[in-house]
């Protein structure tokens, strides 16, 4: 089991990507993230960007309710409000892409 390994794995839930196109548009986030948890991952990353990654508005909340693992909100965080929003959504971690951050964030 992964949870017994001396390292951690963060598994990602996403429906599509700009580089790979459609992956699985009708994926059920509950089923997928529960499977990740059963496999022993250390955390789950959930894409919340609809335009580029096909996220549905309910993907993150469904994932949050489905597992007890730490959850990373993966999106293009451009404004400090999105960090507050992420916490309110139940995110344990956010991904900050240094290249796109403004000095004011």
């Amino acid at each position: 089991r992964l949870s017994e390994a001396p390292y951690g794995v963060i598994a990602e839930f996403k429906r599509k990507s700009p580089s790979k196109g459609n992956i699985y548009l009708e994926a059920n986030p509950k089923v997928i993230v529960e499977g990740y948890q059963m496999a022993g991952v250390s955390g789950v990353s959930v894409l919340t960007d609809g335009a580029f990654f096909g996220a549905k508005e309910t993907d993150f909340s469904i994932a949050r309710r489905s597992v007890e693992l730490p959850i990373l909100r993966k999106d293009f965080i451009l404004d400090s409000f999105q960090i507050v929003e992420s916490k309110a959504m139940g995110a344990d971690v956010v991904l900050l892409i240094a290249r796109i951050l403004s000095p004011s964030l």
Side-chain angles (χ1 to χ4, degrees), residues 1-73:
R1 290 189 43 91
L2 288 173
S3 59
E4 298 167 2
Y7 51 83
V9 172
I10 298 173
E12 185 165 82
F13 176 82
K14 68 179 168 184
R15 297 173 182 281
K16 69 178 187 175
S17 80
S19 63
K20 299 291 182 190
N22 294 345
I23 297 168
Y24 185 12
L25 295 178
E26 299 309 314
N28 181 331
K30 177 178 175 47
V31 171
I32 302 293
V33 300
E34 285 178 350
Y36 291 158
Q37 182 169 268
M38 289 174 51
V41 301
S42 300
V44 176
S45 170
V46 178
L47 273 292
T48 58
D49 177 83
F52 293 103
F53 294 96
K56 294 184 179 179
E57 287 186 25
T58 56
D59 285 348
F60 192 91
S61 62
I62 290 169
R64 175 74 282 167
R65 288 191 311 269
S66 300
V67 296
E68 296 182 18
L69 298 167
I71 297 188
L72 179 146
R73 178 189 182 190

Side-chain angles (χ1 to χ4, degrees), residues 72-93:
L72 179 146
R73 178 189 182 190
K74 192 168 183 184
D75 204 323
F76 297 108
I77 304 292
L78 303 171
D79 185 278
S80 59
F81 175 77
Q82 291 173 283
I83 296 171
V84 174
E85 178 184 56
S86 298
K87 184 65 175 172
M89 292 168 63
D92 298 292
V93 182

